[in-house]
Amino acid sequence: MTNLPPPAEELRILDAELRQLDLRRAVLLRRRAWLVHTLRAAAAPQPAQGTGAAPGGRPAGQATGAAARRPETTAPGVQNLLLVLGGVLLTIAAIAFTLLSWGHLGIAGRSLVLGVLTVGALGAPVTLLRRGLRATAEAVSGLGTALTVLDAYALHEVAFTGADGVGYTAAASAVLAALWAAYGVRLGLFHPLPLAVATAHLPLLLWAIALGAGPLPLTAVLLATAAGGTAVALRAASAPVRVVSVVGALGTGTVGVLSAGWLCWTASGPGSASRAAALLVVAAAVALVTGRFVPNREVAVAAAATAGLCLVAGSAGVLRVSVPGEWTVPGCQLCAILLLTAERTSLPRPLRQGLVRAAVAVQGFAVLWAVPLVAGSVLGPAVQAVTPWSGAPRTVRDAVFADLPAPAYASTVPLVLAVVAAALVVAGRRTPRRPAVMVVALVLGWAAVHVLPVALQLPYTVGLVTQAAVAVAALGLAVRSDRADGGPSPLALTALLLALLTSVDLALLSLASESATIGVLVALTVLFGAAGRRPRHAPFTVPAALAHATALACALGASAGLRPPHTALLVLVVPAVAALIASRSSGSRAAVPVEAAGAATGLLALALALPDPPVLALVLSLGGVVAAATALRPERRAAGWAAAALLLAAAWVRLAAWEVGTPEAYTLPVTGPALVVGFLRRRRDTAVSSWTAYGPGLAATLVPGLLAAWDDQHWLRPLLLGVAALAVTLVGALRRLQAPLVLGAGVLALVALHELAPYLAQVVGALPRWVPPALAGLVLLVLGGTYEHRLRDARRLREALGRLR
């Protein structure tokens, strides 16, 4: 037997089917109109090619005009536009009549006019629907619904003039919503139901406002309205009704939840906070019910997450006024952990996922709440570098937040971070992203221990010991993780970086006391030096050990009362040790980082020695020795250039310290070794040109000497320079070397010109003024007459020089 639904349900189904048929009929009519238009356009006569007439003798202009006179809109479109426009104009006319011409009629006339118009507008759709004129019926019914609003306004002005405006509006909106809903269901019209649903969101709120309700009842009314809109959205079969219900429920629900949260967090006592929290619980229940019955999975997850956040917010508001302030965030964490138990319940999977996401979001907010203290604990010790050895403070918090107030409620920050880290460790066992989760858990655990001395205000010495223990534990975890994973892992790398960061913080924190500084730096140097024995960690730990050793050298120099230039001699021990370590670890990944650390330390030593030139010369020479020792390694031959530059700079600084102003004293130490190196290189490789082998060395002395001799008024320097240039020229000619020959000859010619310049000036001054132009013209004539011969001679000279090496 066929199970028939109840009459009301069957009527609703039939109305929905009829609406679908109407929509389908409208689509088919539009398609038919387009097809008719297309067929007519195809059947229209086209103009003949190359002629001025269309087929059948019709002129081409007429055919083109007929083709141009195509309909630009469809019949249903014109119909809908006319109906909408007519309904709007009638509505405007009715409003104008009600508001402006009301006083010209008596009470009976007014009632009769509005009553007749309303009944006619609401009753006409019945006849129109029977004749199949649905669009016209929709337009006329729209006018009827607008007239009902005017009826309500007129009724207030005539019969209920003493009624409160807000209260009357609430009652009128309720009555109108019920009438529109019944009217739309009875006739199966399109617009009354969405309009009724939208109006139904107003009565409760307006009624509460009319009664003078406070914030708490108004919030309850908003949530009740949102619950009603949600129920309608879940049960409605019409898409427009669902859209209006969803929009109204979201709007009133959002305002209600925000209001309840504000009331809960600003409550002055547990009672008021509990009442506001109860409203948040109601909102959470509505959200859970929505997620349970909504068909869309993403919407269900979002609704469950909203429910979880509402529950935690309500609990947090109650905790805020019930427990000390520092325990509010841990209480919220406990509520979030309770939400995680939803994974073990029989709730649908989308609801469980939403509650878990809410719990994760709460834990994230808790971590953000702890960030200020963590950032202060990490960056605060840098303040000690401004005033080192100013005296050990009483607690670690005094050392970290020396001139700034510490964040409020800091005592529970380690607990908050530890809880999140523990939750991640537990969750990481069941997730495919276990490495990333464990890395985050490690960072949070490190942060919890790192801020522990500051949060608990431990004594200064105890805080230093705690930080040192954290560094040791992080290094131990890095070693253990590498052993467990059989290779470098993200967890081991993270632990190693955290150990380095902790060591830097510990070193800065120890600057408050001289003894603490030296002791901490010695311990860190030994710790990272011992960790550098493992090849996987050496690229990080050995440079860290060298950095701490450099700081230790500076601290020892300051403790011994040495000036910075003399402290630079202690610092130079670190580059020497770095060069030794790099030579023993040649070919490994640690070689380059170690050498970079040694070079950086050498630059620091140079910076310290700058104020004292004699000490700077000594530092440069010792650095050159270290670089030369590095250059002995086959893969580091390029360091020989750095060694030569450092030794040369040392010689120049020493000469400057002795106030030597002769340029040759600075250039000859360059020329001698350069010529020796060039000679040895040409003996090993005969293909090397003389410019490469001897050019830089010769130019280093000849060019500065020539510049100095050009302004020298005495005869000794030009004489010595000329003799040297002549010797270089002769050697170049005998050995058939191009560079010595060209450089020596050029310098010798310029020196001779410099020496003859006074006499040439006297001769030129004694000659008549017409002689120089005459001589120039004569020379040009001679050159022009023997141009080809001179070119051949120049070509031969060039070829002769080219044959030289």
Side-chain angles (χ1 to χ4, degrees):
M1 295 179 65
T2 303
N3 294 324
L4 296 177
E9 181 66 19
E10 185 177 2
L11 179 61
R12 187 185 65 80
I13 295 174
L14 290 177
D15 290 337
E17 292 294 335
L18 289 174
R19 284 193 295 273
Q20 294 297 327
L21 289 175
D22 290 337
L23 293 175
R24 181 61 178 167
R25 184 174 183 274
V27 172
L28 293 176
L29 287 174
R30 285 195 295 270
R31 179 65 178 175
R32 180 182 180 279
W34 181 82
L35 291 173
V36 171
H37 166 70
T38 303
L39 292 175
R40 289 177 178 174
Q46 302 295 330
Q49 296 292 335
T51 65
R58 182 183 300 175
Q62 294 183 9
T64 305
R69 290 194 295 271
R70 297 176 180 177
E72 296 182 355
T73 183
T74 61
V78 174
Q79 168 190 301
N80 294 332
L81 177 61
L82 294 177
L83 291 175
V84 171
L85 182 59
V88 170
L89 292 177
L90 287 175
T91 304
I92 293 174
I95 294 173
F97 170 76
T98 304
L99 297 178
L100 302 178
S101 302
W102 191 255
H104 299 290
L105 298 176
I107 296 177
R110 303 174 209 170
S111 302
L112 181 61
V113 170
L114 275 181
V116 170
L117 290 176
T118 304
V119 172
L122 294 178
V126 177
T127 304
L128 294 173
L129 289 173
R130 290 175 182 174
R131 297 184 179 183
L133 303 177
R134 174 166 291 276
T136 307
E138 290 284 353
V140 176
S141 64
L143 174 62
T145 54
L147 288 175
T148 55
V149 177
L150 295 178
D151 288 335
Y153 169 75
L155 189 61
H156 177 268
E157 293 296 322
V158 174
F160 299 99
T161 54
D164 177 61
V166 179
Y168 179 81
T169 305
S173 59
V175 172
L176 289 177
L179 290 176
W180 291 341
Y183 181 71
V185 171
R186 179 67 181 84
L187 297 183
L189 295 174
F190 180 79
H191 81 279
L193 281 178
L195 187 60
V197 172
T199 308
H201 287 79
L202 299 177
L204 284 179
L205 181 61
L206 295 175
W207 175 69
I209 295 175
L211 294 179
L216 192 65
L218 285 176
T219 302
V221 167
L222 286 172
L223 294 177
T225 304
T230 302
V232 173
L234 293 175
R235 297 288 297 175
S238 173
V241 173
R242 286 199 303 271
V243 171
V244 173
S245 302
V246 169
V247 172
L250 285 177
T252 55
T254 302
V255 176
V257 168
L258 294 177
S259 176
W262 179 77
L263 292 174
C264 191
W265 277 90
T266 58
S268 58
S272 55
S274 300
R275 288 189 291 272
L279 295 180
L280 289 174
V281 172
V282 172
V286 173
L288 283 177
V289 172
T290 303
R292 174 65 179 83
F293 292 101
V294 73
N296 189 291
R297 182 179 179 278
E298 295 299 327
V299 174
V301 172
T306 303
L309 293 176
C310 288
L311 292 174
V312 175
S315 303
V318 175
L319 288 172
R320 189 188 65 83
V321 294
S322 304
V323 298
E326 60 268 17
W327 291 100
T328 302
V329 176
C332 294
Q333 282 189 296
L334 179 60
C335 297
I337 293 173
L338 294 177
L339 288 180
L340 292 175
T341 59
E343 277 289 338
R344 301 183 180 275
T345 62
S346 59
L347 289 173
R349 181 172 178 79
L351 297 185
R352 286 182 281 142
Q353 289 181 343
L355 292 175
V356 170
R357 291 184 183 181
V360 172
V362 172
Q363 301 294 349
F365 290 144
V367 172
L368 291 178
W369 173 76
V371 163
L373 183 63
V374 176
S377 301
V378 172
L379 303 177
V383 180
Q384 298 297 330
V386 180
T387 57
W389 297 353
S390 57
R394 186 177 61 87
T395 64
V396 180
R397 183 180 293 188
D398 296 335
V400 173
F401 297 97
D403 301 325
L404 297 174
Y409 307 135
S411 58
T412 56
V413 169
L415 177 62
V416 169
L417 296 173
V419 168
V420 179
L424 289 175
V425 170
V426 174
R429 298 175 181 176
R430 298 176 296 174
T431 178
R433 299 179 181 178
R434 184 175 182 275
V437 173
M438 297 306 293
V439 166
V440 177
L442 174 61
V443 173
L444 293 177
W446 167 83
V449 181
H450 189 79
V451 302
L452 186 63
V454 178
L456 301 182
Q457 301 189 41
L458 297 179
Y460 177 70
T461 306
V462 177
L464 293 179
V465 174
T466 304
Q467 299 283 33
V470 172
V472 173
L475 278 178
L477 179 60
V479 173
R480 182 180 177 182
S481 298
D482 269 351
R483 288 176 179 174
D485 297 338
S489 65
L491 187 64
L493 180 61
T494 303
L496 190 58
L497 294 178
L498 292 177
L500 294 174
L501 180 59
T502 306
S503 68
V504 173
D505 248 9
L506 178 59
L508 292 173
L509 194 62
S510 67
L511 290 177
S513 171
E514 179 180 350
S515 58
T517 301
I518 296 176
V520 166
L521 290 176
V522 169
L524 291 177
T525 302
V526 173
L527 175 64
F528 284 96
R533 295 170 62 89
R534 295 186 60 83
R536 291 175 182 169
H537 301 152
F540 299 94
T541 54
V542 176
L546 294 175
H548 291 305
T550 302
L552 177 61
C554 295
L556 291 175
S559 179
L562 300 178
R563 296 174 51 245
H566 296 94
T567 303
L569 298 175
L570 291 177
V571 174
L572 274 179
V573 176
V574 177
V577 174
L580 179 61
I581 295 174
S583 64
R584 291 180 176 272
S585 60
S586 180
S588 67
R589 295 184 304 167
V592 174
V594 168
E595 290 171 347
T601 306
L603 292 177
L604 176 62
L606 292 178
L608 292 174
L610 278 178
D612 195 334
V615 179
L616 177 61
L618 179 58
V619 170
L620 287 169
S621 61
L622 293 176
V625 171
V626 174
T630 302
L632 295 176
R633 295 159 51 195
E635 69 276 10
R636 291 292 183 266
R637 296 300 186 194
W641 295 100
L646 289 172
L647 293 173
L648 178 63
W652 285 355
V653 171
R654 173 52 65 182
L655 291 174
W658 286 337
E659 298 182 355
V660 175
T662 304
E664 289 76 11
Y666 296 89
T667 57
L668 287 176
V670 179
T671 298
L675 293 177
V676 173
V677 171
F679 174 75
L680 295 176
R681 185 176 181 184
R682 276 184 58 84
R683 192 167 67 176
R684 289 198 306 268
D685 186 3
T686 57
V688 176
S689 67
S690 62
W691 286 103
T692 304
Y694 304 119
L698 293 174
T701 294
L702 292 177
V703 174
L706 179 62
L707 295 177
W710 202 262
D711 292 333
D712 197 344
Q713 303 300 324
H714 300 283
W715 58 271
L716 182 59
R717 176 177 279 116
L719 177 62
L720 294 177
L721 182 61
V723 171
L726 177 62
V728 170
T729 304
L730 293 177
V731 171
L734 293 175
R735 302 292 297 178
R736 298 178 60 82
L737 298 176
Q738 188 181 101
L741 182 61
V742 172
L743 289 176
V747 173
L748 182 61
L750 291 175
V751 170
L753 179 62
H754 174 266
E755 294 302 316
L756 294 176
Y759 303 104
L760 292 176
Q762 293 178 5
V763 171
V764 172
L767 291 174
R769 293 186 177 181
W770 56 269
V771 173
L775 291 177
L778 181 62
V779 170
L780 291 176
L781 288 176
V782 173
L783 289 177
T786 59
Y787 182 73
E788 183 178 1
H789 181 67
R790 302 305 177 191
L791 286 179
R792 186 171 61 250
D793 293 343
R795 191 179 301 109
R796 289 175 180 176
L797 177 61
R798 185 184 64 186
E799 293 174 354
L801 289 175
R803 288 193 295 269
L804 299 178
R805 292 172 292 172

